Amino acid sequence: EVPVSRRALELRFRTIVGCSINTAIQQAHFQRARQLLVQTDYSLKRVAELSGFGSQSYMAQMFRRKVGMTPLRYRREHRTR
């Protein structure tokens, strides 16, 4: 338990980190997905599960929005050979 209100905690987090708690969590999920795509051969479904996305389709939607490509294309273009 924290001796401050939820709102006060959210405001402090935003002031210190520079984004909302929700945005920070989404960024962490996205970073983990990118790492798994490049470093493993896991299926896209498994990558979505391990990185905290609710579904493979939501992960794909986020990839299109953030990097302008599908997760599979991201994997192909960023994997070291």
Side-chain angles (χ1 to χ4, degrees):
E1 291 186 30
V2 180
V4 295
S5 70
R6 177 180 173 165
R7 182 69 180 144
L9 183 61
E10 289 171 348
L11 289 172
R12 286 184 191 175
F13 186 92
R14 183 181 292 275
T15 300
I16 293 168
V17 179
C19 65
S20 71
I21 295 169
N22 187 50
T23 299
I25 291 169
Q26 287 177 346
Q27 289 173 350
H29 291 307
F30 187 72
Q31 286 299 110
R32 180 67 175 147
R34 288 172 49 182
Q35 177 188 30
L36 290 169
L37 287 168
V38 173
Q39 296 177 355
T40 72
D41 289 324
Y42 293 149
S43 69
L44 296 181
K45 181 179 179 183
R46 186 71 178 136
V47 169
E49 291 169 356
L50 291 173
S51 58
F53 285 99
S55 68
Q56 179 181 336
S57 63
Y58 181 63
M59 180 181 74
Q61 179 183 12
M62 291 299 293
F63 263 81
R64 282 188 213 100
R65 186 181 312 149
K66 288 184 173 278
V67 294
M69 65 181 75
T70 65
L72 188 56
R73 182 171 168 211
Y74 182 88
R75 172 180 271 170
R76 288 180 183 147
E77 290 187 11
H78 291 87
R79 182 169 278 185
T80 56
R81 302 198 194 311

Coordinates of all heavy atoms in Angstrom, one line a residue:
E1 N 0.8 -1.2 0.0 CA 0.0 0.0 0.0 C 0.9 1.2 0.0 O 1.9 1.3 0.6 CB -0.9 0.0 1.2 CG -2.0 -1.1 1.1 CD -3.0 -1.0 2.3 OE1 -3.2 0.2 2.8 OE2 -3.5 -2.0 2.7
V2 N 0.4 2.3 -0.6 CA 1.1 3.5 -0.7 C 0.2 4.6 0.0 O -1.0 4.7 -0.3 CB 1.3 3.9 -2.2 CG1 2.0 5.2 -2.3 CG2 2.0 2.8 -3.0
P3 N 0.8 5.4 0.8 CA 0.0 6.4 1.6 C -0.4 7.6 0.8 O -0.4 8.7 1.3 CB 1.0 6.8 2.7 CG 2.3 6.6 2.2 CD 2.2 5.4 1.2
V4 N -0.6 7.5 -0.5 CA -1.1 8.6 -1.4 C -2.3 8.0 -2.2 O -2.4 6.8 -2.4 CB 0.0 9.2 -2.3 CG1 1.0 9.8 -1.5 CG2 0.5 8.1 -3.2
S5 N -3.1 8.9 -2.7 CA -4.2 8.5 -3.6 C -3.7 7.9 -4.9 O -2.5 8.2 -5.3 CB -5.1 9.6 -3.9 OG -4.5 10.6 -4.7
R6 N -4.5 7.2 -5.6 CA -4.1 6.7 -6.9 C -3.8 7.8 -7.9 O -2.8 7.8 -8.6 CB -5.2 5.8 -7.5 CG -5.0 5.3 -8.8 CD -6.1 4.4 -9.3 NE -5.9 4.1 -10.7 CZ -6.5 3.2 -11.4 NH1 -7.4 2.5 -10.8 NH2 -6.2 2.9 -12.6
R7 N -4.6 8.8 -7.9 CA -4.4 10.0 -8.8 C -3.1 10.7 -8.5 O -2.4 11.0 -9.4 CB -5.6 10.9 -8.6 CG -5.5 12.1 -9.5 CD -5.7 11.7 -11.0 NE -5.6 12.9 -11.9 CZ -5.0 12.8 -13.0 NH1 -4.6 11.7 -13.6 NH2 -5.0 13.9 -13.8
A8 N -2.8 10.9 -7.2 CA -1.5 11.5 -6.8 C -0.3 10.7 -7.3 O 0.7 11.2 -7.8 CB -1.5 11.7 -5.3
L9 N -0.5 9.4 -7.2 CA 0.6 8.5 -7.6 C 0.8 8.6 -9.1 O 1.9 8.6 -9.7 CB 0.3 7.0 -7.2 CG 1.3 6.0 -7.5 CD1 2.7 6.3 -6.8 CD2 0.8 4.6 -7.1
E10 N -0.4 8.6 -9.9 CA -0.3 8.7 -11.3 C 0.3 10.0 -11.8 O 1.1 10.0 -12.7 CB -1.7 8.6 -11.9 CG -2.3 7.2 -11.8 CD -3.8 7.1 -12.2 OE1 -4.4 8.2 -12.3 OE2 -4.3 6.0 -12.4
L11 N 0.0 11.1 -11.1 CA 0.6 12.4 -11.4 C 2.1 12.4 -11.1 O 2.9 12.9 -11.9 CB -0.1 13.5 -10.7 CG -1.6 13.8 -11.1 CD1 -2.2 14.8 -10.2 CD2 -1.6 14.3 -12.6
R12 N 2.5 11.8 -10.0 CA 3.9 11.8 -9.7 C 4.7 10.9 -10.7 O 5.8 11.3 -11.2 CB 4.1 11.2 -8.3 CG 3.8 12.1 -7.2 CD 4.1 11.5 -5.9 NE 3.6 12.3 -4.8 CZ 3.6 12.0 -3.5 NH1 4.2 10.9 -3.2 NH2 3.1 12.8 -2.6
F13 N 4.1 9.8 -11.1 CA 4.7 8.9 -12.1 C 4.9 9.7 -13.4 O 6.0 9.7 -14.0 CB 3.8 7.7 -12.4 CG 4.4 6.7 -13.3 CD1 5.2 5.6 -12.7 CD2 4.3 6.8 -14.6 CE1 5.8 4.7 -13.6 CE2 4.9 5.8 -15.5 CZ 5.6 4.8 -14.9
R14 N 3.9 10.4 -13.9 CA 3.9 11.2 -15.1 C 5.0 12.3 -15.0 O 5.7 12.5 -16.0 CB 2.6 11.8 -15.4 CG 2.6 12.5 -16.8 CD 1.2 13.2 -17.1 NE 0.2 12.2 -17.4 CZ 0.0 11.7 -18.6 NH1 0.7 12.0 -19.6 NH2 -1.0 10.8 -18.7
T15 N 5.1 12.9 -13.9 CA 6.1 14.0 -13.7 C 7.5 13.4 -13.8 O 8.4 14.0 -14.4 CB 5.9 14.7 -12.4 OG1 4.5 15.3 -12.3 CG2 6.9 15.8 -12.1
I16 N 7.7 12.3 -13.1 CA 9.1 11.8 -13.1 C 9.5 11.0 -14.4 O 10.5 11.2 -14.9 CB 9.2 10.8 -11.9 CG1 9.1 11.6 -10.6 CG2 10.5 10.0 -11.9 CD1 8.9 10.8 -9.3
V17 N 8.5 10.2 -14.9 CA 8.9 9.3 -16.0 C 8.6 10.0 -17.3 O 9.2 9.8 -18.4 CB 8.1 8.0 -15.9 CG1 8.4 7.1 -17.1 CG2 8.5 7.3 -14.6
G18 N 7.6 10.9 -17.3 CA 7.3 11.6 -18.6 C 6.1 11.1 -19.4 O 5.8 11.5 -20.5
C19 N 5.5 10.0 -18.9 CA 4.3 9.5 -19.5 C 3.4 8.8 -18.5 O 3.8 8.6 -17.3 CB 4.7 8.4 -20.6 SG 5.6 7.0 -19.9
S20 N 2.2 8.4 -18.9 CA 1.3 7.7 -18.0 C 1.8 6.3 -17.6 O 2.6 5.8 -18.4 CB -0.1 7.7 -18.5 OG -0.1 6.8 -19.6
I21 N 1.3 5.8 -16.6 CA 1.6 4.4 -16.2 C 1.2 3.5 -17.3 O 1.9 2.6 -17.7 CB 0.9 4.0 -14.8 CG1 1.5 4.9 -13.7 CG2 1.1 2.6 -14.6 CD1 0.7 4.8 -12.4
N22 N 0.0 3.7 -17.9 CA -0.5 2.8 -18.9 C 0.4 2.9 -20.2 O 0.7 1.8 -20.7 CB -1.9 3.2 -19.3 CG -2.5 2.3 -20.3 OD1 -2.5 1.1 -20.1 ND2 -3.1 2.8 -21.4
T23 N 0.9 4.0 -20.5 CA 1.8 4.2 -21.7 C 3.1 3.5 -21.4 O 3.7 2.8 -22.2 CB 2.0 5.7 -22.0 OG1 0.8 6.3 -22.3 CG2 3.0 5.8 -23.1
A24 N 3.6 3.6 -20.2 CA 4.9 2.9 -19.8 C 4.7 1.4 -19.9 O 5.6 0.7 -20.4 CB 5.3 3.3 -18.4
I25 N 3.6 0.9 -19.4 CA 3.3 -0.6 -19.5 C 3.2 -1.0 -21.0 O 3.8 -2.0 -21.4 CB 2.0 -0.9 -18.8 CG1 2.2 -0.8 -17.3 CG2 1.6 -2.4 -19.1 CD1 1.0 -0.8 -16.4
Q26 N 2.5 -0.2 -21.8 CA 2.4 -0.6 -23.2 C 3.8 -0.6 -23.9 O 4.1 -1.4 -24.7 CB 1.5 0.4 -23.9 CG 0.0 0.2 -23.6 CD -0.9 1.2 -24.3 OE1 -0.4 2.2 -24.8 NE2 -2.2 0.9 -24.3
Q27 N 4.6 0.4 -23.6 CA 5.9 0.5 -24.1 C 6.8 -0.8 -23.7 O 7.5 -1.3 -24.5 CB 6.7 1.7 -23.7 CG 6.1 3.0 -24.3 CD 6.7 4.3 -23.8 OE1 7.4 4.2 -22.7 NE2 6.4 5.4 -24.4
A28 N 6.6 -1.2 -22.5 CA 7.3 -2.4 -22.0 C 6.9 -3.6 -22.8 O 7.7 -4.5 -23.2 CB 7.1 -2.6 -20.5
H29 N 5.6 -3.8 -23.0 CA 5.0 -4.9 -23.8 C 5.6 -4.9 -25.2 O 6.0 -5.9 -25.7 CB 3.5 -4.9 -23.8 CG 2.8 -5.1 -22.6 ND1 3.1 -6.2 -21.8 CD2 1.9 -4.4 -21.9 CE1 2.3 -6.2 -20.7 NE2 1.6 -5.1 -20.8
F30 N 5.6 -3.7 -25.8 CA 6.1 -3.6 -27.2 C 7.6 -3.9 -27.3 O 8.0 -4.6 -28.2 CB 5.8 -2.1 -27.7 CG 6.1 -1.9 -29.1 CD1 5.3 -2.5 -30.1 CD2 7.1 -1.2 -29.5 CE1 5.5 -2.3 -31.4 CE2 7.4 -1.0 -30.8 CZ 6.6 -1.6 -31.8
Q31 N 8.4 -3.4 -26.3 CA 9.8 -3.7 -26.3 C 10.1 -5.2 -26.2 O 10.9 -5.7 -26.9 CB 10.5 -2.9 -25.2 CG 10.6 -1.4 -25.5 CD 11.5 -1.1 -26.7 OE1 10.9 -0.7 -27.7 NE2 12.7 -1.4 -26.7
R32 N 9.3 -5.8 -25.3 CA 9.5 -7.3 -25.1 C 9.1 -8.0 -26.4 O 9.8 -8.9 -26.8 CB 8.7 -7.7 -23.9 CG 8.8 -9.2 -23.7 CD 10.1 -9.6 -23.2 NE 10.1 -11.0 -22.8 CZ 11.2 -11.8 -23.0 NH1 12.3 -11.4 -23.4 NH2 11.1 -13.1 -22.6
A33 N 8.0 -7.6 -27.0 CA 7.6 -8.3 -28.3 C 8.7 -8.1 -29.3 O 9.0 -9.1 -30.1 CB 6.3 -7.7 -28.8
R34 N 9.2 -6.9 -29.5 CA 10.3 -6.7 -30.5 C 11.5 -7.6 -30.2 O 12.0 -8.2 -31.1 CB 10.7 -5.2 -30.5 CG 9.7 -4.3 -31.1 CD 10.0 -2.8 -30.9 NE 11.3 -2.5 -31.3 CZ 11.8 -1.3 -31.2 NH1 11.1 -0.3 -30.7 NH2 13.1 -1.0 -31.6
Q35 N 11.9 -7.7 -28.9 CA 13.0 -8.5 -28.6 C 12.7 -10.0 -28.9 O 13.6 -10.6 -29.5 CB 13.3 -8.4 -27.1 CG 14.4 -9.2 -26.5 CD 14.5 -9.2 -25.0 OE1 13.5 -9.0 -24.3 NE2 15.6 -9.4 -24.5
L36 N 11.6 -10.5 -28.6 CA 11.2 -11.9 -28.8 C 11.1 -12.2 -30.3 O 11.6 -13.2 -30.8 CB 9.9 -12.2 -28.2 CG 9.9 -12.3 -26.7 CD1 8.5 -12.5 -26.1 CD2 10.8 -13.5 -26.2
L37 N 10.6 -11.2 -31.1 CA 10.5 -11.4 -32.6 C 11.9 -11.5 -33.2 O 12.1 -12.4 -34.1 CB 9.8 -10.2 -33.2 CG 8.3 -10.2 -33.0 CD1 7.7 -8.9 -33.4 CD2 7.6 -11.4 -33.7
V38 N 12.9 -10.8 -32.7 CA 14.2 -10.8 -33.3 C 15.0 -11.9 -32.8 O 15.8 -12.5 -33.5 CB 14.9 -9.4 -33.1 CG1 16.3 -9.4 -33.5 CG2 14.1 -8.3 -33.8
Q39 N 14.9 -12.3 -31.5 CA 15.8 -13.2 -30.9 C 15.3 -14.7 -30.8 O 16.0 -15.6 -30.5 CB 16.1 -12.8 -29.5 CG 16.9 -11.5 -29.5 CD 17.2 -11.0 -28.1 OE1 16.7 -11.5 -27.1 NE2 17.9 -9.9 -28.0
T40 N 14.0 -14.9 -31.2 CA 13.4 -16.3 -31.1 C 12.7 -16.6 -32.3 O 12.5 -15.8 -33.2 CB 12.5 -16.4 -29.9 OG1 11.3 -15.7 -30.2 CG2 13.0 -15.9 -28.6
D41 N 12.4 -17.9 -32.4 CA 11.5 -18.4 -33.5 C 10.1 -18.7 -33.0 O 9.4 -19.4 -33.7 CB 12.1 -19.7 -34.1 CG 13.4 -19.4 -34.9 OD1 13.5 -18.4 -35.5 OD2 14.3 -20.3 -34.8
Y42 N 9.7 -18.1 -31.9 CA 8.4 -18.3 -31.4 C 7.3 -17.9 -32.4 O 7.5 -16.9 -33.1 CB 8.2 -17.6 -30.1 CG 9.0 -18.0 -28.9 CD1 9.4 -17.1 -27.9 CD2 9.4 -19.4 -28.7 CE1 10.1 -17.5 -26.8 CE2 10.1 -19.8 -27.7 CZ 10.5 -18.9 -26.7 OH 11.2 -19.3 -25.6
S43 N 6.2 -18.5 -32.3 CA 5.1 -18.1 -33.2 C 4.6 -16.7 -32.7 O 4.9 -16.3 -31.6 CB 3.9 -19.1 -33.1 OG 3.3 -19.0 -31.8
L44 N 3.9 -16.0 -33.6 CA 3.4 -14.7 -33.3 C 2.5 -14.8 -32.1 O 2.5 -13.9 -31.2 CB 2.8 -14.1 -34.5 CG 3.7 -13.8 -35.7 CD1 2.9 -13.1 -36.8 CD2 4.9 -12.9 -35.3
K45 N 1.7 -15.8 -32.0 CA 0.8 -16.0 -30.9 C 1.6 -16.1 -29.6 O 1.2 -15.5 -28.6 CB -0.1 -17.3 -31.1 CG -1.1 -17.5 -30.0 CD -1.9 -18.7 -30.3 CE -2.9 -19.0 -29.1 NZ -3.7 -20.2 -29.3
R46 N 2.6 -16.9 -29.6 CA 3.4 -17.1 -28.4 C 4.1 -15.8 -28.0 O 4.2 -15.4 -26.8 CB 4.5 -18.2 -28.6 CG 5.3 -18.6 -27.4 CD 4.4 -19.3 -26.4 NE 5.2 -19.7 -25.3 CZ 4.8 -19.5 -24.0 NH1 3.7 -19.1 -23.7 NH2 5.6 -19.9 -23.0
V47 N 4.6 -15.0 -29.0 CA 5.3 -13.8 -28.7 C 4.3 -12.8 -28.1 O 4.6 -12.2 -27.1 CB 5.8 -13.1 -30.0 CG1 6.3 -11.7 -29.8 CG2 7.0 -14.0 -30.5
A48 N 3.0 -12.8 -28.6 CA 2.0 -11.9 -28.0 C 1.7 -12.3 -26.5 O 1.6 -11.5 -25.7 CB 0.7 -12.0 -28.8
E49 N 1.7 -13.6 -26.3 CA 1.4 -14.1 -24.9 C 2.5 -13.7 -24.0 O 2.3 -13.2 -22.9 CB 1.3 -15.6 -24.9 CG 0.0 -16.1 -25.6 CD 0.0 -17.6 -25.8 OE1 1.0 -18.3 -25.5 OE2 -1.0 -18.2 -26.3
L50 N 3.8 -14.0 -24.4 CA 4.9 -13.7 -23.5 C 5.2 -12.3 -23.3 O 5.8 -11.9 -22.3 CB 6.2 -14.4 -24.1 CG 6.2 -16.0 -24.1 CD1 7.4 -16.5 -24.9 CD2 6.2 -16.5 -22.7
S51 N 4.8 -11.4 -24.2 CA 5.1 -10.0 -24.1 C 3.9 -9.2 -23.4 O 4.0 -8.0 -23.3 CB 5.4 -9.4 -25.4 OG 4.4 -9.6 -26.4
G52 N 2.8 -9.9 -23.1 CA 1.8 -9.3 -22.3 C 0.6 -8.7 -23.1 O -0.2 -8.0 -22.6
F53 N 0.6 -9.0 -24.5 CA -0.5 -8.5 -25.3 C -1.7 -9.5 -25.1 O -1.5 -10.7 -24.9 CB -0.1 -8.4 -26.7 CG 0.7 -7.3 -27.1 CD1 2.1 -7.4 -27.2 CD2 0.2 -6.0 -27.3 CE1 2.9 -6.3 -27.5 CE2 1.0 -4.9 -27.6 CZ 2.4 -5.1 -27.7
G54 N -2.9 -8.9 -25.1 CA -4.0 -9.7 -24.9 C -4.3 -10.7 -26.0 O -4.9 -11.7 -25.8
S55 N -3.8 -10.4 -27.2 CA -4.0 -11.2 -28.4 C -3.0 -10.9 -29.5 O -2.4 -9.9 -29.5 CB -5.4 -11.0 -29.0 OG -5.5 -9.7 -29.6
Q56 N -2.9 -11.9 -30.4 CA -2.0 -11.7 -31.5 C -2.4 -10.5 -32.4 O -1.6 -9.7 -32.9 CB -1.9 -13.0 -32.3 CG -1.0 -12.9 -33.5 CD -1.0 -14.2 -34.3 OE1 -1.3 -15.3 -33.7 NE2 -0.7 -14.2 -35.5
S57 N -3.7 -10.4 -32.6 CA -4.3 -9.3 -33.4 C -4.0 -8.0 -32.8 O -3.7 -7.0 -33.5 CB -5.7 -9.5 -33.7 OG -6.5 -9.5 -32.5
Y58 N -4.1 -7.8 -31.5 CA -3.8 -6.5 -30.9 C -2.4 -6.2 -31.0 O -2.0 -5.0 -31.3 CB -4.3 -6.6 -29.4 CG -4.0 -5.2 -28.7 CD1 -4.6 -4.1 -29.1 CD2 -3.1 -5.1 -27.7 CE1 -4.4 -2.9 -28.5 CE2 -2.8 -3.9 -27.0 CZ -3.5 -2.8 -27.5 OH -3.2 -1.6 -26.8
M59 N -1.5 -7.2 -30.9 CA -0.1 -7.0 -31.0 C 0.2 -6.5 -32.5 O 1.0 -5.5 -32.7 CB 0.8 -8.2 -30.7 CG 2.3 -8.0 -30.9 SD 3.2 -9.5 -30.6 CE 2.9 -10.5 -32.1
A60 N -0.4 -7.1 -33.4 CA -0.2 -6.7 -34.8 C -0.7 -5.3 -35.1 O -0.1 -4.5 -35.8 CB -1.0 -7.7 -35.8
Q61 N -1.8 -5.0 -34.5 CA -2.4 -3.6 -34.6 C -1.4 -2.6 -34.0 O -1.1 -1.5 -34.6 CB -3.7 -3.5 -33.8 CG -4.4 -2.2 -33.9 CD -5.6 -2.2 -33.0 OE1 -5.9 -3.1 -32.3 NE2 -6.4 -1.2 -33.2
M62 N -0.8 -2.9 -32.9 CA 0.2 -2.0 -32.3 C 1.4 -1.8 -33.1 O 2.0 -0.7 -33.3 CB 0.5 -2.5 -30.8 CG -0.6 -2.4 -29.8 SD -1.2 -0.7 -29.6 CE 0.3 0.0 -28.8
F63 N 1.9 -2.9 -33.7 CA 3.1 -2.9 -34.6 C 2.8 -2.0 -35.8 O 3.6 -1.2 -36.2 CB 3.5 -4.3 -35.0 CG 4.6 -4.8 -34.2 CD1 4.3 -5.4 -32.9 CD2 5.9 -4.7 -34.6 CE1 5.3 -5.9 -32.1 CE2 6.9 -5.2 -33.8 CZ 6.6 -5.8 -32.6
R64 N 1.6 -2.2 -36.4 CA 1.3 -1.3 -37.6 C 1.3 0.1 -37.2 O 1.7 1.0 -37.9 CB 0.0 -1.8 -38.2 CG 0.1 -3.0 -39.0 CD -1.2 -3.3 -39.7 NE -1.3 -4.8 -39.9 CZ -2.1 -5.5 -39.1 NH1 -2.9 -5.0 -38.2 NH2 -2.2 -6.8 -39.2
R65 N 0.7 0.4 -36.0 CA 0.6 1.8 -35.6 C 2.0 2.4 -35.2 O 2.3 3.5 -35.6 CB -0.3 1.9 -34.4 CG -0.6 3.3 -33.9 CD -1.5 3.4 -32.7 NE -2.7 2.6 -32.8 CZ -3.3 2.0 -31.8 NH1 -2.9 2.2 -30.6 NH2 -4.4 1.3 -32.0
K66 N 2.8 1.6 -34.5 CA 4.1 2.2 -34.0 C 5.2 2.1 -35.0 O 6.0 3.1 -35.1 CB 4.5 1.5 -32.7 CG 3.6 1.8 -31.6 CD 4.2 1.1 -30.3 CE 3.5 1.6 -29.1 NZ 4.0 2.8 -28.6
V67 N 5.3 1.1 -35.8 CA 6.4 0.9 -36.7 C 6.0 0.8 -38.2 O 6.9 0.7 -39.1 CB 7.4 -0.2 -36.4 CG1 8.0 0.0 -35.0 CG2 6.6 -1.5 -36.3
G68 N 4.7 0.8 -38.5 CA 4.3 0.8 -39.8 C 4.4 -0.5 -40.6 O 4.5 -0.5 -41.8
M69 N 4.5 -1.6 -39.8 CA 4.6 -2.9 -40.4 C 4.1 -4.0 -39.5 O 3.9 -3.8 -38.3 CB 6.1 -3.2 -40.8 CG 7.0 -3.4 -39.7 SD 8.8 -3.7 -40.1 CE 9.3 -2.1 -40.7
T70 N 3.9 -5.2 -40.1 CA 3.4 -6.3 -39.3 C 4.5 -6.9 -38.4 O 5.7 -6.7 -38.7 CB 2.8 -7.4 -40.2 OG1 3.9 -7.9 -40.9 CG2 1.7 -6.9 -41.1
P71 N 4.2 -7.6 -37.4 CA 5.2 -8.2 -36.6 C 6.1 -9.2 -37.4 O 7.3 -9.2 -37.2 CB 4.5 -9.0 -35.5 CG 3.2 -8.3 -35.4 CD 2.9 -7.8 -36.8
L72 N 5.5 -9.9 -38.3 CA 6.3 -10.9 -39.1 C 7.3 -10.1 -40.0 O 8.4 -10.5 -40.1 CB 5.3 -11.7 -40.0 CG 6.0 -12.9 -40.8 CD1 6.8 -13.8 -39.8 CD2 4.9 -13.6 -41.5
R73 N 6.8 -9.0 -40.6 CA 7.7 -8.2 -41.5 C 8.8 -7.6 -40.6 O 10.0 -7.6 -41.0 CB 7.0 -7.1 -42.2 CG 7.9 -6.3 -43.1 CD 7.1 -5.4 -44.0 NE 7.9 -4.4 -44.6 CZ 7.6 -3.2 -44.9 NH1 6.4 -2.8 -44.7 NH2 8.5 -2.4 -45.5
Y74 N 8.5 -7.2 -39.4 CA 9.5 -6.6 -38.5 C 10.5 -7.7 -38.2 O 11.7 -7.4 -38.2 CB 8.8 -6.1 -37.2 CG 9.8 -5.5 -36.2 CD1 10.1 -4.2 -36.2 CD2 10.4 -6.3 -35.2 CE1 11.0 -3.6 -35.4 CE2 11.3 -5.8 -34.4 CZ 11.6 -4.4 -34.4 OH 12.5 -3.9 -33.6
R75 N 10.1 -8.9 -37.9 CA 11.0 -10.0 -37.6 C 12.0 -10.2 -38.8 O 13.2 -10.3 -38.6 CB 10.2 -11.3 -37.3 CG 11.1 -12.5 -37.2 CD 10.3 -13.7 -36.9 NE 10.2 -13.9 -35.5 CZ 9.4 -14.7 -34.9 NH1 8.6 -15.5 -35.6 NH2 9.3 -14.8 -33.6
R76 N 11.4 -10.3 -40.0 CA 12.3 -10.5 -41.2 C 13.3 -9.4 -41.4 O 14.4 -9.7 -41.8 CB 11.4 -10.7 -42.4 CG 10.6 -11.9 -42.4 CD 9.7 -12.0 -43.6 NE 8.9 -13.3 -43.6 CZ 7.7 -13.4 -44.1 NH1 7.1 -12.3 -44.7 NH2 7.1 -14.5 -44.1
E77 N 12.9 -8.2 -41.2 CA 13.7 -7.0 -41.5 C 14.8 -6.8 -40.4 O 15.8 -6.1 -40.6 CB 12.9 -5.8 -41.7 CG 12.2 -5.8 -43.0 CD 11.5 -4.5 -43.4 OE1 11.7 -3.5 -42.7 OE2 10.7 -4.6 -44.3
H78 N 14.5 -7.2 -39.1 CA 15.4 -6.9 -38.0 C 16.2 -8.0 -37.5 O 17.1 -7.8 -36.6 CB 14.6 -6.2 -36.9 CG 14.1 -4.9 -37.3 ND1 12.9 -4.7 -37.9 CD2 14.7 -3.6 -37.1 CE1 12.7 -3.4 -38.2 NE2 13.8 -2.7 -37.7
R79 N 16.0 -9.2 -37.9 CA 16.7 -10.4 -37.5 C 18.1 -10.3 -38.1 O 18.3 -10.1 -39.3 CB 16.0 -11.6 -37.8 CG 16.7 -12.9 -37.3 CD 15.9 -14.1 -37.5 NE 14.9 -14.1 -36.3 CZ 14.1 -15.1 -36.1 NH1 14.1 -16.1 -36.9 NH2 13.3 -15.0 -35.1
T80 N 19.1 -10.6 -37.2 CA 20.5 -10.7 -37.7 C 20.7 -12.1 -38.3 O 20.2 -13.1 -37.8 CB 21.5 -10.4 -36.6 OG1 21.2 -11.3 -35.5 CG2 21.4 -9.0 -36.1
R81 N 21.4 -12.1 -39.3 CA 21.6 -13.4 -40.0 C 22.9 -14.1 -39.7 O 23.8 -13.6 -39.3 CB 21.5 -13.1 -41.5 CG 20.2 -12.5 -41.9 CD 19.8 -12.6 -43.4 NE 18.8 -11.8 -43.8 CZ 17.6 -11.6 -43.3 NH1 17.3 -12.2 -42.2 NH2 16.7 -10.8 -43.9

